[in-house]
Amino acid sequence: MAMARDPPMSIVSEKKPPFQEAPPAYPLDTDDPYWYFPVVTVLSRGYILPSNIREIHYKRRNKRKDHNAVFEASQVDITADAFSSTNLDIRERHHSNFRRATPDSQQKHAMQITPDINSLPVELISCIFRWIPVQQVFKFRRLCRAVNDSLLTTQFALLNMQLRSTLSQHQKDASMWLLVPEKYQAAMAREKLSQLEILDSCGLVKTAIPFPKSVVLLSKLTTLNLSRCALPGVIPDVFGALSNLTKVFLSNNQLVGGVPASFNCLSSLYILDLSKNRLTGHLPDFSDLNALKYLLLSENQLMGPIPTRFGSPSILQLMDVGRNLFSSIPATISNLVNVSYLNISYNPISSPIPKELWSLINLVNLEMCHCGLAGSLAGIGALSRLEELDACFNDLTEGIPPNEIPQMRQLKSLHLIGNPRLSRQAWDFGGLENFEYLCMDRAVLESSTLCGPSISCELHSESEVSQDSYADEINTLR
């Protein structure tokens, strides 16, 4: 029996080495990420490749003005010349065998030859391509129309989703859901993800497909983590149907538009992270968020007053709304009595510090730099648990009253640089056992009396110490 020849070396680009061994009969038994390379070879040897591949090659070459341009199929470069020579070799061998055969065998053999990939049965295409990981399989859509149409069917999606993955089940499902074409994301959510409770991409997926509207079908979902996925577009206003959600992480994406009002329907939600996007407009009503403990909205373009109205404001423990366009601190901020971390930095507030801010007696970190805040820090002595205060680059005229400094027994660092109008006073940190860092304008320090040990802080411009500790806390929640 004649042995099958290896794939012609001419079809392999010199940029990547050819396979040294034949792929296993069952593709799921291999960990080689390029095992599916012989798929194209099988198609080229068993069937005549589409005639428009050469046209595609020349169109690309003319556009790029590069005579060495190649047609990319998956992660292997296959040139149009290689396709042509391979097809010619197939035709010559076929016609040679055809001439030596009997008339009956000639007719039978001729019926077995498919003149074009477009003539392949859809079922056969699906069976071949279903074993290719979803991250790569859609690159083959450019081979021809038949392959393109086959890979875009719901049936193929459900077959392809069964491919083995080294990721955990919820990571694998999230990855596929974000990468498959929008055309059958809904079918995948209905057939595969409807009972899913945790959907976590772990930042391993980068997609250009907008936020899937089929999220509304994931009614059992409790955790939705699509951070660092480069998601574009708006957040669909469909979260009212996801009553079981307790954690939502959508940070570090390219989301635009407003914050959906349907978030207010999530009465069990206790973490909402929308930071580092391009969200705009006013925040919706959050008066029904009775379990919210962590609210992260930093680095967007949200406007209006600092959010303070929640279903149970006394439950909130962390709020980061820095680097937005919030313009005022409402008196109702006094309702956030259990907040331990508050960041309102880099917002155009430009108003005196409201006295209600000093009623947040559980504050440990208070960040309010670059806000245009004016007036005095009188009353801050009530924050006996405060460890770090950053009020850099504002318009403060009076610092911490000398008689209130001893009350702040936990204070570790004080950042007041960028407030050149601070009045002359005595700064006595001798009674503060944990105090370490101090940064103020040189002119203010020279005109004031400083008592007690302190270290000049070099991190005041970005408040890196506080930001790092806050980031570590959020990462433990995911």
Side-chain angles (χ1 to χ4, degrees):
M1 180 181 296
M3 300 296 293
R5 296 193 304 171
D6 292 333
M9 290 297 295
S10 59
I11 72 168
V12 181
S13 171
E14 295 181 357
K15 297 180 181 179
K16 297 180 180 178
F19 276 87
Q20 300 300 322
E21 298 179 0
Y26 187 52
L28 295 184
D29 290 338
T30 179
D31 292 325
D32 192 332
Y34 301 108
W35 68 264
Y36 49 86
F37 165 74
V39 169
V40 179
T41 303
V42 170
L43 292 177
S44 65
R45 291 176 62 87
Y47 302 94
I48 306 303
L49 290 169
S51 58
N52 63 342
I53 287 184
R54 178 176 290 277
E55 297 175 6
I56 295 174
H57 168 69
Y58 282 119
K59 286 180 181 179
R60 292 192 174 188
R61 187 182 66 177
N62 293 335
K63 286 183 179 180
R64 300 179 184 180
K65 296 182 180 180
D66 181 6
H67 293 284
N68 295 322
V70 295
F71 174 79
E72 297 180 358
S74 182
Q75 301 186 30
V76 181
D77 296 336
I78 303 176
T79 65
D81 290 337
F83 274 124
S84 178
S85 61
T86 304
N87 291 338
L88 182 60
D89 180 59
I90 294 171
R91 291 176 184 273
E92 289 178 351
R93 286 189 283 107
H94 165 63
H95 289 305
S96 176
N97 295 333
F98 187 77
R99 285 191 295 268
R100 292 196 299 267
T102 63
D104 292 339
S105 61
Q106 287 179 1
Q107 182 178 4
K108 181 179 179 181
H109 188 61
M111 294 175 63
Q112 294 176 347
I113 293 297
T114 303
D116 197 298
I117 288 185
N118 284 301
S119 302
L120 287 175
V122 173
E123 294 80 4
L124 178 58
I125 295 178
S126 297
C127 288
I128 294 175
F129 286 93
R130 62 171 293 190
W131 303 112
I132 303 177
V134 69
Q135 293 88 340
Q136 284 84 33
V137 69
F138 293 108
K139 297 178 182 179
F140 285 93
R141 288 171 53 188
R142 295 174 291 180
L143 279 176
C144 67
R145 179 175 298 178
V147 173
N148 177 72
D149 294 343
S150 177
L151 301 188
L152 288 178
T153 61
T154 302
Q155 291 76 11
F156 175 78
L158 298 178
L159 284 173
N160 192 235
M161 284 188 298
Q162 299 173 13
L163 185 65
R164 185 193 66 177
S165 175
T166 57
L167 302 175
S168 65
Q169 185 60 40
H170 60 269
Q171 294 174 5
K172 171 187 171 183
D173 292 337
S175 301
M176 289 187 178
W177 185 53
L178 293 175
L179 289 173
V180 297
E182 187 177 4
K183 182 175 180 180
Y184 56 74
Q185 277 181 338
M188 179 178 176
R190 185 181 299 108
E191 299 292 336
K192 184 72 174 178
L193 309 179
S194 59
Q195 302 300 315
L196 198 66
E197 295 184 0
I198 298 176
L199 188 64
D200 188 354
S201 68
C202 295
L204 302 177
V205 180
K206 304 298 180 184
T207 179
I209 300 176
F211 196 109
K213 295 181 180 179
S214 54
V215 68
V216 69
L217 301 173
L218 312 183
S219 58
K220 303 292 185 181
L221 210 60
T222 61
T223 299
L224 176 63
N225 185 1
L226 300 181
S227 297
R228 303 185 302 278
C229 291
L231 281 171
V234 300
I235 305 175
D237 195 4
V238 296
F239 287 88
L242 307 179
S243 58
N244 294 316
L245 267 179
T246 59
K247 302 177 184 179
V248 175
F249 299 97
L250 299 177
S251 62
N252 290 272
N253 285 299
Q254 302 173 22
L255 299 171
V256 297
V259 177
S262 57
F263 277 133
N264 192 42
C265 300
L266 306 178
S267 58
S268 300
L269 186 69
Y270 74 89
I271 301 178
L272 178 59
D273 185 0
L274 304 178
S275 58
K276 298 184 180 180
N277 283 289
R278 303 172 186 173
L279 301 174
T280 58
H282 291 74
L283 284 177
D285 179 27
F286 283 161
S287 60
D288 291 334
L289 297 184
N290 299 314
L292 191 64
K293 292 184 178 181
Y294 302 90
L295 178 63
L296 301 100
L297 303 173
S298 62
E299 298 189 41
N300 284 288
Q301 301 174 33
L302 300 170
M303 57 183 64
I306 299 291
T308 58
R309 296 185 180 275
F310 308 100
S312 299
S314 61
I315 293 180
L316 196 69
Q317 297 180 9
L318 182 150
M319 183 167 72
D320 184 358
V321 295
R323 297 182 184 272
N324 277 285
L325 300 176
F326 293 116
S327 56
S328 64
I329 304 175
T332 51
I333 198 170
S334 61
N335 296 330
L336 311 181
V337 293
N338 285 311
V339 167
S340 61
Y341 179 93
L342 177 62
N343 182 7
I344 60 174
S345 299
Y346 294 92
N347 281 288
I349 297 174
S350 302
S351 65
I353 300 176
K355 62 181 180 179
E356 290 81 6
L357 188 61
W358 310 134
S359 63
L360 307 183
I361 58 176
N362 289 302
L363 270 177
V364 176
N365 297 80
L366 177 57
E367 311 283 343
M368 52 181 189
C369 65
H370 292 270
C371 289
L373 295 171
S376 170
L377 292 176
I380 195 174
L383 307 183
S384 58
R385 299 182 180 181
L386 192 66
E387 296 181 3
E388 298 186 17
L389 171 64
D390 187 354
C392 295
F393 300 98
N394 284 294
D395 194 25
L396 301 177
T397 55
E398 296 183 18
I400 304 175
N403 64 324
E404 294 186 17
I405 293 178
Q407 302 175 28
M408 307 177 69
R409 293 182 295 273
Q410 303 299 322
L411 191 64
K412 294 181 179 180
S413 60
L414 178 62
H415 307 267
L416 295 176
I417 196 170
N419 291 280
R421 299 176 60 191
L422 280 175
S423 59
R424 179 180 179 179
Q425 71 171 77
W427 297 89
D428 187 359
F429 303 108
L432 306 182
E433 297 180 357
N434 300 319
F435 190 77
E436 295 181 351
Y437 298 101
L438 171 68
C439 60
M440 283 192 285
D441 292 281
R442 182 180 298 274
V444 175
L445 284 174
E446 291 176 351
S447 63
S448 301
T449 303
L450 181 63
C451 300
S454 63
I455 303 173
S456 298
C457 177
E458 300 178 355
L459 306 177
H460 59 268
S461 60
E462 298 294 338
S463 306
E464 294 180 9
V465 175
S466 298
Q467 292 292 342
D468 288 345
S469 60
Y470 140 75
D472 292 341
E473 180 177 359
I474 292 301
N475 288 331
T476 61
L477 298 173
R478 295 187 175 180

PDB file of all heavy atoms in Angstrom, residues 51 212 264 333:
ATOM      1  N   SER A  51     -10.347  29.466  -6.906  1.00  0.00           N
ATOM      2  CA  SER A  51      -9.542  30.205  -7.873  1.00  0.00           C
ATOM      3  C   SER A  51      -9.324  31.649  -7.472  1.00  0.00           C
ATOM      4  O   SER A  51      -8.423  32.304  -7.993  1.00  0.00           O
ATOM      5  CB  SER A  51     -10.242  30.174  -9.246  1.00  0.00           C
ATOM      6  OG  SER A  51     -11.554  30.743  -9.137  1.00  0.00           O
ATOM      7  N   PRO A 212     -21.721  42.451  24.778  1.00  0.00           N
ATOM      8  CA  PRO A 212     -22.815  41.578  24.304  1.00  0.00           C
ATOM      9  C   PRO A 212     -24.147  41.898  24.982  1.00  0.00           C
ATOM     10  O   PRO A 212     -24.269  41.841  26.207  1.00  0.00           O
ATOM     11  CB  PRO A 212     -22.323  40.172  24.676  1.00  0.00           C
ATOM     12  CG  PRO A 212     -20.854  40.305  24.874  1.00  0.00           C
ATOM     13  CD  PRO A 212     -20.633  41.682  25.394  1.00  0.00           C
ATOM     14  N   ASN A 264     -29.670  49.946  39.131  1.00  0.00           N
ATOM     15  CA  ASN A 264     -30.422  50.212  40.358  1.00  0.00           C
ATOM     16  C   ASN A 264     -31.353  49.056  40.730  1.00  0.00           C
ATOM     17  O   ASN A 264     -31.843  48.992  41.864  1.00  0.00           O
ATOM     18  CB  ASN A 264     -31.236  51.495  40.200  1.00  0.00           C
ATOM     19  CG  ASN A 264     -31.798  51.985  41.513  1.00  0.00           C
ATOM     20  OD1 ASN A 264     -31.109  51.965  42.531  1.00  0.00           O
ATOM     21  ND2 ASN A 264     -33.056  52.403  41.507  1.00  0.00           N
ATOM     22  N   ILE A 333     -23.228  63.645  52.119  1.00  0.00           N
ATOM     23  CA  ILE A 333     -22.057  62.775  52.234  1.00  0.00           C
ATOM     24  C   ILE A 333     -21.893  62.295  53.670  1.00  0.00           C
ATOM     25  O   ILE A 333     -21.230  61.283  53.937  1.00  0.00           O
ATOM     26  CB  ILE A 333     -20.781  63.506  51.755  1.00  0.00           C
ATOM     27  CG1 ILE A 333     -19.670  62.481  51.455  1.00  0.00           C
ATOM     28  CG2 ILE A 333     -20.324  64.556  52.772  1.00  0.00           C
ATOM     29  CD1 ILE A 333     -18.471  63.060  50.764  1.00  0.00           C
TER      30      ILE A 333
END
